[in-house]
Amino acid sequence: MNLSEIAYRRVVVKLGTSVLTSGSKQLDKAHMVELARQMAALMKSGVEVVLCTSGAIAAGREHLQYPTLPDTMANKQLLAAVGQSQLILAWAQLFSIYGLHVGQLLLTRADLQDRERYLNARDTLNALLANNIVPIINENDAVATNEIKVGDNDNLSARAALLCDADLLILLTDQKGLFDADPRTNPNAKLISQVVKIDDSLRMLAGGSVSGLGTGGMSTKLEAADIARRAGIEVVIASGHHPDVIKKVVAKESVGTHFSAIENPLESRKQWILAGPATQGSLVLDAGAVKAVTDKGRSLLSKGIVGVKGQFERGATLQLVDQQGKVIAKGMTRYCGQALSLIAGKHSDEIESVLGYDYGDAIVHRNDMVVL
């Protein structure tokens, strides 16, 4: 394999808990050093590598010698607080074997949904990469609550890939890739080697985590792949225990399931809308508005809204759904929820007479919208 001919300049590698523990209760340092070796080889060939690592809670349990604790948020945060230092120490030691330094970024959804903090995180990532330091990203579980958690490192890694403008996202897991049936129950299940489009039928194939140790199953990997590929990033889901898996994926060998990037990736602002803010409500659209948004590339007008769900302020990120409940787009509203409940279904020229003000005809402008 000739690493000098690699087509990618920047790669995000996501390692699940099951990969780091090899299915056991503790970190498998022997396997971790092998993964570090592959990433170090890429970096020395000129490829920039960002590592998104799970395993903090598993490392915390191991370090505390597997204490019996009630299953509460506080105790999970306790284990994460103890384990995060052990996890980053392990990675620092392993990469130092190859003469590389590491830098840690602990993120929550709050860091991604605020535009300024999002840009600050991006600057930090780029500064680390510019100085040949391996950025190691994890969710800040020690302080994250359910309201501000990204929730799983699959989606976090996709957001990291957008943050650093990566070319490739590699999701390493306890399965060989995405199958056309559940390989745990169907011996005739076949690996899907190439995916061009993610649709509902593909999502139905996604199962849970084999090990039960992590928070992300195959369904979260599909979500992550969909986010990344919309930003023009290729994605591969593969087994973290396949020999030389990282090097083979980067060399475009047939390993795991490859997801093609969308040819016309989203611009930077729309990438942030897709990857950053959590949705705070939804707008139900009639058939005409759905067609205008999806087929004609238009902004959403008040006339096409038949329902408003949730309480939210102006500037909130919302889901746009059809009358059957299917999400068709995501975007930022120019009106608060209370105002929208008053002007839904009305013509644009009625807005000012109803509200006493207006912020323009568009409820969600095309420039603030990502069609799904």
Side-chain angles (χ1 to χ4, degrees):
M1 186 187 314
N2 187 356
L3 290 175
S4 64
E5 299 178 357
I6 290 173
Y8 305 104
R9 62 176 182 80
R10 187 171 288 182
V11 176
V12 174
V13 178
K14 184 267 175 179
L15 301 175
T17 300
S18 59
V19 174
L20 298 177
T21 62
S22 299
S24 70
K25 291 184 178 181
Q26 60 190 38
L27 296 178
D28 183 352
K29 301 286 181 62
H31 188 53
M32 288 172 67
V33 74
E34 166 59 19
L35 294 168
R37 179 189 66 79
Q38 293 179 54
M39 288 183 275
L42 288 181
M43 292 187 68
K44 290 181 180 177
S45 72
V47 179
E48 296 175 332
V49 176
V50 175
L51 172 57
C52 187
T53 179
S54 301
I57 290 178
R61 284 197 181 100
E62 177 185 353
H63 187 68
L64 297 177
Q65 300 182 334
Y66 313 103
T68 301
L69 298 170
D71 188 21
T72 64
M73 174 65 77
N75 284 330
K76 288 179 181 179
Q77 292 174 323
L78 176 155
L79 292 171
V82 172
Q84 191 61 50
S85 60
Q86 298 301 311
L87 183 63
I88 195 67
L89 177 62
W91 282 123
Q93 292 172 338
L94 296 176
F95 277 106
S96 70
I97 296 172
Y98 305 101
L100 293 170
H101 296 290
V102 303
Q104 180 176 249
L105 276 81
L106 297 177
L107 301 173
T108 67
R109 182 180 288 279
D111 298 311
L112 301 174
Q113 67 186 27
D114 180 270
R115 181 68 172 165
E116 184 175 356
R117 289 163 71 175
Y118 180 91
L119 295 175
N120 286 340
R122 186 184 68 178
D123 291 344
T124 302
L125 262 177
N126 287 330
L128 290 168
L129 291 169
N131 287 278
N132 203 38
I133 297 170
V134 184
I136 298 184
I137 298 175
N138 199 356
E139 178 116 47
N140 196 354
D141 290 317
V143 301
T145 61
N146 287 331
E147 290 75 22
I148 64 169
K149 283 175 69 67
V150 174
D152 63 87
N153 276 349
D154 294 320
N155 276 287
L156 182 63
S157 67
R159 287 155 170 80
L162 268 65
L163 266 178
C164 68
D165 191 24
D167 307 299
L168 174 67
L169 169 62
I170 306 175
L171 301 171
L172 297 183
T173 182
D174 49 14
Q175 299 183 47
K176 294 180 180 179
L178 181 65
F179 286 79
D180 62 4
D182 191 339
R184 296 166 291 178
T185 58
N186 187 340
N188 297 317
K190 295 181 180 179
L191 180 70
I192 301 172
S193 59
Q194 183 74 33
V195 172
V196 177
K197 179 182 179 182
I198 297 176
D199 54 22
D200 291 341
S201 62
L202 194 67
R203 292 185 182 94
M204 289 178 66
L205 296 175
S209 168
V210 171
S211 67
L213 293 171
T215 57
M218 194 58 71
S219 60
T220 63
K221 289 170 180 58
L222 280 187
E223 292 173 9
D226 202 24
I227 290 171
R229 63 190 292 274
R230 287 178 186 278
I233 301 167
E234 294 180 42
V235 182
V236 174
I237 300 174
S239 168
H241 285 84
H242 186 97
D244 274 339
V245 61
I246 298 174
K247 292 171 65 178
K248 288 179 178 177
V249 168
V250 173
K252 294 196 172 185
E253 295 188 28
S254 182
V255 179
T257 301
H258 178 270
F259 295 80
S260 302
I262 291 178
E263 291 185 2
N264 297 312
L266 300 171
E267 62 190 65
S268 176
R269 178 174 173 78
K270 290 191 176 183
Q271 288 182 18
W272 172 71
I273 291 172
L274 181 66
T279 53
Q280 298 177 38
S282 60
L283 302 178
V284 183
L285 280 55
D286 65 20
V290 169
K291 187 172 183 179
V293 166
T294 59
D295 296 344
K296 299 180 179 179
R298 294 180 179 171
S299 301
L300 174 63
L301 305 180
S302 54
K303 180 64 177 175
I305 300 172
V306 296
V308 179
K309 299 181 180 179
Q311 297 180 344
F312 48 85
E313 298 300 318
R314 181 172 184 253
T317 301
L318 307 177
Q319 289 182 331
L320 308 186
V321 304
D322 63 19
Q323 289 175 284
Q324 288 70 49
K326 181 179 180 180
V327 180
I328 63 162
K330 182 178 178 182
M332 297 173 65
T333 175
R334 295 189 171 186
Y335 292 84
C336 69
Q338 185 178 7
L340 284 177
S341 63
L342 296 173
I343 61 175
K346 298 188 182 299
H347 288 286
S348 299
D349 57 12
E350 297 180 79
I351 292 177
E352 186 171 5
S353 63
V354 173
L355 299 179
Y357 62 89
D358 76 76
Y359 293 120
D361 292 349
I363 304 304
V364 179
H365 195 276
R366 187 68 190 182
N367 292 342
D368 296 329
M369 183 194 305
V370 179
V371 176
L372 304 176

Coordinates of all heavy atoms in Angstrom, one line a residue, residues 266-338:
L266 N -23.3 21.3 1.3 CA -23.9 22.5 1.9 C -22.8 23.6 2.2 O -21.7 23.3 2.5 CB -24.6 22.2 3.2 CG -25.7 21.2 3.1 CD1 -26.2 20.8 4.5 CD2 -26.9 21.8 2.3
E267 N -23.2 24.8 2.1 CA -22.3 25.9 2.4 C -22.1 25.9 4.0 O -22.9 25.3 4.7 CB -22.9 27.2 2.0 CG -24.2 27.5 2.6 CD -24.9 28.7 2.0 OE1 -25.3 28.7 0.8 OE2 -25.1 29.7 2.7
S268 N -21.1 26.7 4.4 CA -20.7 26.6 5.8 C -21.9 26.9 6.8 O -22.1 26.2 7.8 CB -19.6 27.6 6.1 OG -19.3 27.7 7.5
R269 N -22.7 27.9 6.5 CA -23.8 28.3 7.4 C -24.8 27.1 7.5 O -25.3 26.8 8.6 CB -24.5 29.6 7.0 CG -25.6 30.0 7.9 CD -26.2 31.3 7.4 NE -27.4 31.7 8.1 CZ -27.5 32.1 9.4 NH1 -26.3 32.2 10.1 NH2 -28.6 32.4 10.0
K270 N -25.1 26.5 6.4 CA -26.1 25.5 6.4 C -25.6 24.2 7.0 O -26.3 23.4 7.6 CB -26.6 25.2 5.0 CG -27.4 26.3 4.4 CD -28.1 25.9 3.1 CE -29.0 27.0 2.6 NZ -29.8 26.6 1.4
Q271 N -24.3 24.0 6.9 CA -23.6 22.9 7.7 C -23.9 23.1 9.2 O -24.2 22.1 9.9 CB -22.1 22.8 7.4 CG -21.8 22.3 6.0 CD -20.3 22.2 5.7 OE1 -19.5 22.2 6.7 NE2 -19.9 22.2 4.5
W272 N -23.7 24.3 9.6 CA -23.9 24.6 11.1 C -25.4 24.3 11.5 O -25.6 23.8 12.5 CB -23.5 26.0 11.4 CG -23.8 26.4 12.8 CD1 -23.3 25.9 13.9 CD2 -24.9 27.3 13.2 NE1 -23.9 26.5 15.0 CE2 -24.9 27.4 14.6 CE3 -25.8 28.1 12.5 CZ2 -25.7 28.2 15.3 CZ3 -26.6 28.9 13.2 CH2 -26.6 28.9 14.6
I273 N -26.3 24.8 10.6 CA -27.7 24.6 10.9 C -28.0 23.1 11.0 O -28.7 22.6 11.9 CB -28.6 25.2 9.8 CG1 -28.5 26.7 9.9 CG2 -30.0 24.8 10.0 CD1 -29.2 27.4 8.7
L274 N -27.4 22.3 10.1 CA -27.6 20.8 10.2 C -27.0 20.2 11.4 O -27.6 19.3 12.0 CB -27.1 20.2 8.9 CG -27.3 18.7 8.7 CD1 -28.8 18.4 8.6 CD2 -26.5 18.2 7.5
A275 N -25.8 20.6 11.7 CA -25.0 19.9 12.7 C -25.1 20.5 14.1 O -24.8 19.7 15.1 CB -23.5 19.9 12.3
G276 N -25.4 21.7 14.2 CA -25.3 22.4 15.5 C -26.5 22.4 16.4 O -26.8 21.6 17.2
P277 N -27.4 23.4 16.1 CA -28.5 23.6 17.0 C -29.5 22.5 17.1 O -29.9 21.9 16.1 CB -29.2 24.9 16.4 CG -28.2 25.5 15.5 CD -27.4 24.3 15.0
A278 N -30.0 22.2 18.3 CA -31.1 21.2 18.5 C -32.4 21.9 18.1 O -32.6 23.1 18.3 CB -31.2 20.8 19.9
T279 N -33.3 21.1 17.4 CA -34.6 21.7 17.0 C -35.4 22.0 18.3 O -35.4 21.1 19.2 CB -35.3 20.8 16.1 OG1 -35.4 19.5 16.6 CG2 -34.6 20.7 14.7
Q280 N -36.1 23.1 18.3 CA -36.9 23.5 19.4 C -38.4 23.4 19.2 O -39.2 23.7 20.0 CB -36.5 24.9 19.9 CG -35.1 25.0 20.3 CD -34.7 26.4 20.6 OE1 -35.5 27.2 21.2 NE2 -33.5 26.8 20.2
G281 N -38.8 23.0 18.0 CA -40.2 22.9 17.6 C -40.3 22.5 16.2 O -39.4 22.1 15.5
S282 N -41.6 22.5 15.7 CA -41.8 22.1 14.3 C -42.9 22.9 13.7 O -43.8 23.3 14.4 CB -42.1 20.6 14.2 OG -43.2 20.2 14.9
L283 N -42.9 23.0 12.4 CA -44.0 23.6 11.6 C -44.5 22.6 10.7 O -43.7 21.9 10.0 CB -43.4 24.8 10.8 CG -42.8 26.0 11.6 CD1 -42.3 27.1 10.7 CD2 -43.7 26.5 12.7
V284 N -45.8 22.4 10.7 CA -46.5 21.5 9.8 C -46.9 22.2 8.5 O -47.6 23.3 8.5 CB -47.7 20.9 10.4 CG1 -48.4 19.8 9.5 CG2 -47.4 20.3 11.8
L285 N -46.5 21.7 7.3 CA -46.7 22.4 6.1 C -47.8 21.7 5.2 O -47.9 20.4 5.3 CB -45.4 22.4 5.3 CG -44.3 23.4 5.6 CD1 -43.9 23.4 7.0 CD2 -43.1 23.2 4.7
D286 N -48.5 22.5 4.5 CA -49.5 21.8 3.6 C -48.7 21.3 2.3 O -47.5 21.6 2.2 CB -50.6 22.8 3.2 CG -50.2 24.0 2.4 OD1 -49.1 24.0 1.8 OD2 -50.9 25.0 2.4
A287 N -49.5 20.6 1.5 CA -48.8 20.0 0.3 C -48.2 21.0 -0.6 O -47.1 20.8 -1.2 CB -49.8 19.1 -0.5
G288 N -48.8 22.1 -0.8 CA -48.2 23.2 -1.6 C -46.9 23.7 -1.1 O -46.0 23.9 -1.9
A289 N -46.8 23.9 0.2 CA -45.6 24.4 0.8 C -44.5 23.4 0.7 O -43.3 23.7 0.5 CB -45.9 24.9 2.3
V290 N -44.9 22.1 0.9 CA -43.9 21.1 0.9 C -43.2 21.0 -0.5 O -42.0 20.9 -0.7 CB -44.5 19.7 1.2 CG1 -43.6 18.6 0.8 CG2 -44.9 19.6 2.6
K291 N -44.1 21.2 -1.6 CA -43.6 21.2 -2.9 C -42.7 22.4 -3.2 O -41.7 22.3 -3.8 CB -44.7 21.1 -3.9 CG -44.3 20.9 -5.3 CD -45.5 20.7 -6.3 CE -45.0 20.4 -7.7 NZ -46.2 20.1 -8.6
A292 N -43.1 23.5 -2.7 CA -42.4 24.8 -2.9 C -41.0 24.7 -2.3 O -40.0 25.1 -2.9 CB -43.2 26.0 -2.3
V293 N -40.9 24.1 -1.1 CA -39.7 24.0 -0.4 C -38.8 22.9 -1.0 O -37.6 23.2 -1.2 CB -39.9 23.7 1.1 CG1 -38.7 23.3 1.8 CG2 -40.5 24.9 1.8
T294 N -39.3 21.8 -1.2 CA -38.5 20.6 -1.7 C -38.2 20.6 -3.2 O -37.1 20.3 -3.6 CB -39.1 19.3 -1.3 OG1 -40.4 19.2 -1.9 CG2 -39.3 19.2 0.2
D295 N -39.2 21.0 -4.0 CA -39.0 20.9 -5.4 C -38.6 22.2 -6.1 O -37.9 22.2 -7.1 CB -40.3 20.4 -6.1 CG -40.6 19.0 -5.7 OD1 -39.7 18.3 -5.1 OD2 -41.8 18.6 -5.9
K296 N -39.0 23.3 -5.6 CA -38.8 24.6 -6.2 C -37.8 25.5 -5.5 O -37.5 26.6 -6.0 CB -40.2 25.4 -6.3 CG -41.2 24.6 -7.1 CD -42.5 25.4 -7.2 CE -43.6 24.6 -8.0 NZ -44.9 25.4 -8.0
G297 N -37.2 25.0 -4.4 CA -36.2 25.8 -3.7 C -36.6 27.1 -3.2 O -35.8 28.0 -3.2
R298 N -37.8 27.2 -2.7 CA -38.3 28.4 -2.2 C -38.3 28.5 -0.7 O -38.2 27.5 0.0 CB -39.8 28.6 -2.7 CG -39.8 28.8 -4.2 CD -41.3 29.0 -4.6 NE -41.3 29.2 -6.1 CZ -42.5 29.2 -6.8 NH1 -43.6 29.0 -6.2 NH2 -42.5 29.4 -8.1
S299 N -38.4 29.7 -0.2 CA -38.5 30.0 1.3 C -39.9 29.5 1.7 O -40.9 29.4 0.9 CB -38.3 31.4 1.6 OG -37.0 31.9 1.2
L300 N -40.1 29.3 3.1 CA -41.4 29.0 3.6 C -42.2 30.2 4.0 O -41.7 31.1 4.7 CB -41.2 28.1 4.9 CG -42.5 27.8 5.6 CD1 -43.5 27.0 4.8 CD2 -42.2 27.1 7.0
L301 N -43.4 30.3 3.4 CA -44.3 31.5 3.7 C -45.3 31.1 4.7 O -45.7 29.9 4.8 CB -44.9 32.0 2.4 CG -43.9 32.4 1.3 CD1 -44.7 32.9 0.1 CD2 -42.9 33.4 1.8
S302 N -45.9 32.0 5.4 CA -46.9 31.8 6.4 C -48.2 31.0 5.8 O -48.8 30.2 6.5 CB -47.4 33.1 7.1 OG -47.8 34.0 6.1
K303 N -48.5 31.3 4.6 CA -49.7 30.7 4.0 C -49.6 29.2 4.0 O -50.7 28.5 4.1 CB -49.8 31.2 2.6 CG -51.1 30.7 1.8 CD -52.4 31.1 2.4 CE -53.5 30.6 1.6 NZ -54.8 30.9 2.3
G304 N -48.4 28.6 3.9 CA -48.3 27.2 3.8 C -48.2 26.5 5.1 O -48.1 25.2 5.1
I305 N -48.3 27.2 6.2 CA -48.2 26.6 7.5 C -49.6 26.2 8.1 O -50.5 27.0 8.2 CB -47.5 27.5 8.5 CG1 -46.1 27.8 8.0 CG2 -47.4 26.8 9.9 CD1 -45.4 28.9 8.9
V306 N -49.8 24.9 8.4 CA -51.1 24.5 8.9 C -51.0 24.1 10.4 O -52.0 23.8 11.0 CB -51.6 23.3 8.1 CG1 -51.9 23.7 6.7 CG2 -50.7 22.1 8.1
G307 N -49.8 24.1 11.0 CA -49.7 23.8 12.4 C -48.3 24.3 13.0 O -47.3 24.3 12.3
V308 N -48.4 24.6 14.2 CA -47.2 25.1 14.9 C -47.0 24.3 16.2 O -47.9 24.3 17.1 CB -47.2 26.6 15.3 CG1 -46.0 27.1 16.0 CG2 -47.4 27.4 14.0
K309 N -45.9 23.6 16.4 CA -45.7 22.8 17.6 C -44.5 23.3 18.4 O -43.4 23.5 17.8 CB -45.5 21.3 17.2 CG -46.7 20.8 16.5 CD -46.5 19.3 16.1 CE -47.7 18.7 15.4 NZ -47.5 17.3 15.1
G310 N -44.6 23.4 19.7 CA -43.5 23.8 20.6 C -43.5 25.3 20.9 O -44.2 26.1 20.3
Q311 N -42.8 25.7 21.9 CA -42.6 27.1 22.3 C -41.1 27.5 22.0 O -40.2 26.8 22.5 CB -42.9 27.3 23.8 CG -44.3 26.9 24.2 CD -44.6 27.1 25.6 OE1 -43.7 27.2 26.5 NE2 -45.9 27.2 26.0
F312 N -41.0 28.5 21.2 CA -39.6 28.9 20.7 C -39.6 30.4 20.4 O -40.6 31.0 20.2 CB -39.2 28.1 19.5 CG -40.2 28.0 18.4 CD1 -40.3 29.0 17.5 CD2 -41.2 27.0 18.4 CE1 -41.3 29.0 16.5 CE2 -42.1 26.9 17.4 CZ -42.2 27.9 16.4
E313 N -38.4 30.9 20.4 CA -38.1 32.3 20.1 C -37.7 32.5 18.7 O -37.4 31.5 18.0 CB -37.1 32.9 21.1 CG -37.5 32.8 22.6 CD -38.7 33.6 22.8 OE1 -38.9 34.7 22.3 OE2 -39.6 33.1 23.6
R314 N -37.7 33.7 18.2 CA -37.2 34.1 16.9 C -35.7 33.6 16.8 O -35.0 33.8 17.7 CB -37.3 35.6 16.7 CG -36.8 36.1 15.4 CD -37.2 37.5 15.2 NE -36.8 38.0 13.9 CZ -35.8 38.8 13.6 NH1 -35.0 39.2 14.6 NH2 -35.5 39.2 12.4
G315 N -35.4 33.0 15.7 CA -34.0 32.5 15.5 C -33.8 31.0 15.9 O -32.7 30.5 15.7
A316 N -34.9 30.4 16.5 CA -34.8 29.0 16.9 C -34.7 28.1 15.6 O -35.2 28.5 14.5 CB -36.0 28.6 17.7
T317 N -34.1 27.0 15.8 CA -34.0 26.0 14.7 C -35.2 25.0 14.8 O -35.5 24.5 15.9 CB -32.7 25.2 14.8 OG1 -31.6 26.1 14.6 CG2 -32.6 24.2 13.6
L318 N -35.9 24.9 13.7 CA -37.2 24.1 13.7 C -37.1 23.0 12.7 O -36.3 23.1 11.7 CB -38.4 25.0 13.4 CG -38.6 26.2 14.3 CD1 -39.8 27.0 13.7 CD2 -38.8 25.9 15.7
Q319 N -37.9 22.0 12.9 CA -38.2 21.0 11.9 C -39.4 21.4 11.0 O -40.3 21.9 11.6 CB -38.4 19.6 12.5 CG -37.2 18.9 13.1 CD -37.6 17.6 13.7 OE1 -38.7 17.3 14.1 NE2 -36.6 16.7 13.7
L320 N -39.3 21.2 9.7 CA -40.4 21.4 8.8 C -40.9 20.1 8.4 O -40.2 19.2 7.9 CB -40.0 22.2 7.6 CG -39.2 23.6 7.9 CD1 -39.0 24.3 6.5 CD2 -40.0 24.4 8.9
V321 N -42.2 19.8 8.7 CA -42.7 18.4 8.5 C -44.0 18.5 7.6 O -44.7 19.6 7.6 CB -43.1 17.7 9.8 CG1 -41.9 17.7 10.7 CG2 -44.2 18.5 10.6
D322 N -44.3 17.5 6.9 CA -45.5 17.4 6.1 C -46.7 17.0 7.0 O -46.4 16.7 8.2 CB -45.4 16.5 4.9 CG -45.1 15.1 5.2 OD1 -45.4 14.6 6.3 OD2 -44.6 14.4 4.3
Q323 N -47.8 16.9 6.5 CA -49.0 16.5 7.3 C -49.0 15.1 7.8 O -49.9 14.7 8.6 CB -50.3 16.9 6.6 CG -50.4 18.5 6.5 CD -51.6 18.9 5.6 OE1 -51.6 18.8 4.4 NE2 -52.7 19.3 6.3
Q324 N -48.1 14.3 7.2 CA -48.0 12.9 7.7 C -46.9 12.8 8.8 O -46.7 11.7 9.3 CB -47.7 12.0 6.5 CG -48.8 11.7 5.6 CD -49.2 12.9 4.7 OE1 -48.3 13.6 4.2 NE2 -50.5 13.3 4.7
G325 N -46.3 13.9 9.1 CA -45.3 13.9 10.1 C -43.8 13.6 9.7 O -42.9 13.6 10.5
K326 N -43.6 13.5 8.4 CA -42.3 13.3 7.8 C -41.5 14.6 7.8 O -42.0 15.6 7.3 CB -42.4 12.7 6.4 CG -41.0 12.4 5.8 CD -41.2 11.8 4.4 CE -39.8 11.5 3.8 NZ -39.9 10.9 2.4
V327 N -40.3 14.5 8.3 CA -39.4 15.7 8.4 C -38.9 16.0 7.0 O -38.2 15.1 6.4 CB -38.3 15.6 9.4 CG1 -37.4 16.8 9.4 CG2 -38.8 15.3 10.8
I328 N -39.1 17.1 6.4 CA -38.6 17.4 5.0 C -37.5 18.5 5.0 O -36.7 18.6 4.1 CB -39.8 17.9 4.2 CG1 -40.3 19.3 4.7 CG2 -40.9 16.9 4.0 CD1 -41.1 20.1 3.7
A329 N -37.3 19.2 6.1 CA -36.3 20.2 6.2 C -36.1 20.7 7.6 O -36.8 20.3 8.5 CB -36.7 21.4 5.3
K330 N -35.0 21.4 7.8 CA -34.6 22.0 9.1 C -34.2 23.4 8.8 O -33.4 23.7 7.8 CB -33.5 21.2 9.7 CG -33.0 21.6 11.1 CD -31.9 20.7 11.6 CE -31.3 21.1 12.9 NZ -30.2 20.2 13.4
G331 N -34.6 24.4 9.6 CA -34.2 25.7 9.4 C -34.5 26.7 10.5 O -35.1 26.3 11.6
M332 N -34.0 27.9 10.4 CA -34.1 28.9 11.5 C -35.3 29.8 11.2 O -35.4 30.4 10.1 CB -32.8 29.7 11.6 CG -31.6 28.8 12.0 SD -30.1 29.7 11.9 CE -30.3 30.9 13.2
T333 N -36.2 30.0 12.2 CA -37.4 30.8 12.0 C -37.1 32.3 12.2 O -36.3 32.6 13.1 CB -38.5 30.3 12.9 OG1 -39.6 31.2 12.8 CG2 -38.1 30.3 14.4
R334 N -37.8 33.1 11.5 CA -37.7 34.6 11.7 C -38.8 35.1 12.6 O -38.8 36.3 12.9 CB -37.7 35.3 10.3 CG -36.5 34.9 9.5 CD -36.5 35.7 8.2 NE -35.2 35.5 7.5 CZ -34.8 36.2 6.4 NH1 -35.6 37.1 5.9 NH2 -33.6 35.9 5.9
Y335 N -39.7 34.2 13.1 CA -40.7 34.6 14.0 C -40.8 33.6 15.1 O -40.5 32.4 15.0 CB -42.1 34.6 13.2 CG -42.2 35.7 12.2 CD1 -41.7 35.5 10.9 CD2 -42.8 36.9 12.5 CE1 -41.8 36.5 9.9 CE2 -42.9 37.9 11.5 CZ -42.4 37.7 10.2 OH -42.5 38.7 9.3
C336 N -41.2 34.1 16.3 CA -41.4 33.2 17.5 C -42.6 32.4 17.3 O -43.5 32.6 16.5 CB -41.4 34.1 18.8 SG -43.0 35.0 18.9
G337 N -42.7 31.4 18.2 CA -43.8 30.4 18.1 C -45.2 31.1 18.3 O -46.2 30.7 17.7
Q338 N -45.3 32.0 19.3 CA -46.5 32.7 19.6 C -47.0 33.5 18.3 O -48.2 33.5 18.0 CB -46.4 33.6 20.8 CG -47.7 34.3 21.2 CD -47.5 35.2 22.4 OE1 -46.4 35.4 22.9 NE2 -48.6 35.6 23.0

